[in-house]
Amino acid sequence: MGLKIYLDGAFVDEEEAKVSVFDHGVLYGDGIFEGIRAYNGRVFKLNEHVDRLFNGSRAIMLEPPVSKEEMKEIVLETLRRNSLKDAYIRLVVTRGKGDLGLDPDKCPKPTLFCIAAGIQMYPEELYENGLEVVTVPTRRNTPETVNPQMKSLNYLNSIMAKLEAKLAGVEEAIMINNEGYVAEATGDNIFIIRKGRLVTPPAFLGILEGVTRNTVMELAEKRNIPVEEKVFTRYDVYSADECFLTGTAAEVIPVTKVDGRTIGSGKPGEITRTLIQDYKELTKSTGTEIFL
Ligand code: PXG
């Protein structure tokens, strides 16, 4: 059975959920999106995701067609209409239909859609043994260009990096910025652990300030594991005791090889394993009720 999709004020069948070829989201990647998860009948960190969507929209001067409260209700109602308790949710606001020019002022009405679907996760084996990643030639775009802090519909920067990782025979890339500092993965944030301290790049470096990243930082602090937002280079990754990535889809995933260098013991480290468990517990026990 097909999915029910929220599109511009109505729920439509998957086959009917279509946007115009004149939509500037399609023509120019002019829009903002979110990726959200629901676990066991609750939406995890819904406020944080909706806040980030609105912040990005404000930065590109795109006014979402509904309020924050209405946006949250759209997410919950999409889950209800599809009877989904566990899901991956994609929420998208585009500039809407315009003419063939760039001018956003010629797009009178933003397009809003919400998709809730099943989740495709990395295989369990990777959580036990760790992921292999490489650094890639494509640099993370700098905050002065399309700031990665906005979850914009233009993901070509990440997609180029993903292609380069796959060409190198692995599934995920670590992106470096123009100054040589480690930024993030293509759709995940990065952490390293040295001498019991968690280190992750600061948001101003030009990364998406991940909801999972911020959650993991809080979980570490609860366990009295020191957390620092600090710039670091590839060398610091190669010589780290542990490394992991965070993201809504991947959750917390250990990294055990980077550019052919084995990280730490070559197995997911103790702190990483603890945070994987803590994160799982939190997703199970908190979130906005869907009331299916
Ligand atoms: N960095 C980037 C560039 C992202 O796109 C994250 C970090 C993690 O953020 P959250 O808030 O999810 O902890 C993202 C997440 C995917 C996928 O299929 C992931 C993202 C977007 C699109 C697809 O893994 N974003």
Side-chain angles (χ1 to χ4, degrees):
M1 207 180 64
L3 295 171
K4 289 277 182 209
I5 313 288
Y6 173 91
L7 175 61
D8 291 333
F11 284 91
V12 294
D13 289 335
E14 195 177 317
E15 297 74 29
E16 307 302 317
K18 291 177 182 156
V19 297
S20 166
V21 293
F22 290 96
D23 195 299
H24 280 208
V26 178
L27 287 174
Y28 298 116
D30 186 353
I32 302 286
F33 76 103
E34 267 305 320
I36 311 171
R37 283 277 289 274
Y39 295 88
N40 194 29
R42 287 199 183 108
V43 183
F44 190 62
K45 301 280 177 188
L46 181 57
N47 288 330
E48 286 78 356
H49 284 286
V50 169
D51 283 347
R52 188 170 66 187
L53 183 78
F54 274 71
N55 287 339
S57 300
R58 183 169 294 201
I60 68 163
M61 300 175 84
L62 167 63
E63 181 144 16
V66 298
S67 69
K68 279 190 187 179
E69 282 313 309
E70 288 165 332
M71 194 68 88
K72 288 179 219 170
E73 193 46 49
I74 286 167
V75 170
L76 296 170
E77 188 59 22
T78 307
L79 289 158
R80 288 181 204 123
R81 298 275 180 131
N82 291 283
S83 305
L84 284 166
K85 283 189 165 182
D86 293 272
Y88 185 80
I89 302 141
R90 177 60 51 92
L91 193 53
V92 183
V93 193
T94 82
R95 191 75 66 180
K97 257 196 278 185
D99 65 18
L100 290 178
L102 287 176
D103 189 354
D105 289 340
K106 300 215 172 118
C107 306
K109 192 172 139 294
T111 301
L112 171 62
F113 59 88
C114 182
I115 309 167
I119 323 146
Q120 282 181 335
M121 292 275 296
Y122 278 122
E124 188 54 36
E125 180 268 326
L126 288 178
Y127 292 85
E128 278 150 30
N129 297 323
L131 185 68
E132 176 174 0
V133 302
V134 292
T135 57
V136 291
T138 295
R139 294 294 174 249
R140 193 69 176 113
N141 41 353
T142 66
E144 301 78 33
T145 57
V146 179
N147 194 327
Q149 280 182 273
M150 301 186 295
K151 212 164 158 55
S152 90
L153 286 182
N154 192 323
Y155 253 54
L156 271 179
N157 183 241
S158 280
I159 290 164
M160 294 285 282
K162 187 87 170 174
L163 284 170
E164 289 159 356
K166 296 190 90 156
L167 282 171
V170 302
E171 286 301 312
E172 188 51 284
I174 299 299
M175 300 182 78
I176 309 296
N177 77 0
N178 269 330
E179 294 166 299
Y181 296 119
V182 172
E184 60 180 331
T186 63
D188 293 301
N189 291 113
I190 184 168
F191 284 80
I192 55 171
I193 299 168
R194 303 175 76 87
K195 298 194 166 77
R197 305 173 80 84
L198 234 59
V199 190
T200 195
F204 68 76
L205 197 67
I207 59 163
L208 186 78
E209 190 179 338
V211 171
T212 319
R213 165 193 185 271
N214 292 350
T215 304
V216 163
M217 288 165 74
E218 283 169 21
L219 289 171
E221 275 157 7
K222 276 208 185 114
R223 285 199 176 263
N224 293 320
I225 301 166
V227 184
E228 291 174 304
E229 290 180 81
K230 230 173 61 174
V231 297
F232 57 88
T233 64
R234 271 186 296 190
Y235 167 80
D236 299 301
V237 181
Y238 300 154
S239 57
D241 300 320
E242 300 180 34
C243 177
F244 61 83
L245 306 180
T246 63
T248 297
E251 303 183 332
V252 180
I253 187 157
V255 171
T256 46
K257 208 177 233 191
V258 181
D259 294 339
R261 280 82 160 175
T262 298
I263 305 303
S265 66
K267 284 270 167 198
E270 201 174 317
I271 296 178
T272 304
R273 282 190 281 124
T274 302
L275 291 169
I276 290 173
Q277 281 314 316
D278 286 357
Y279 187 80
K280 272 201 195 309
E281 285 302 315
L282 194 69
T283 58
K284 265 191 229 160
S285 57
T286 59
T288 309
E289 281 253 28
I290 303 167
F291 293 115
L292 267 172

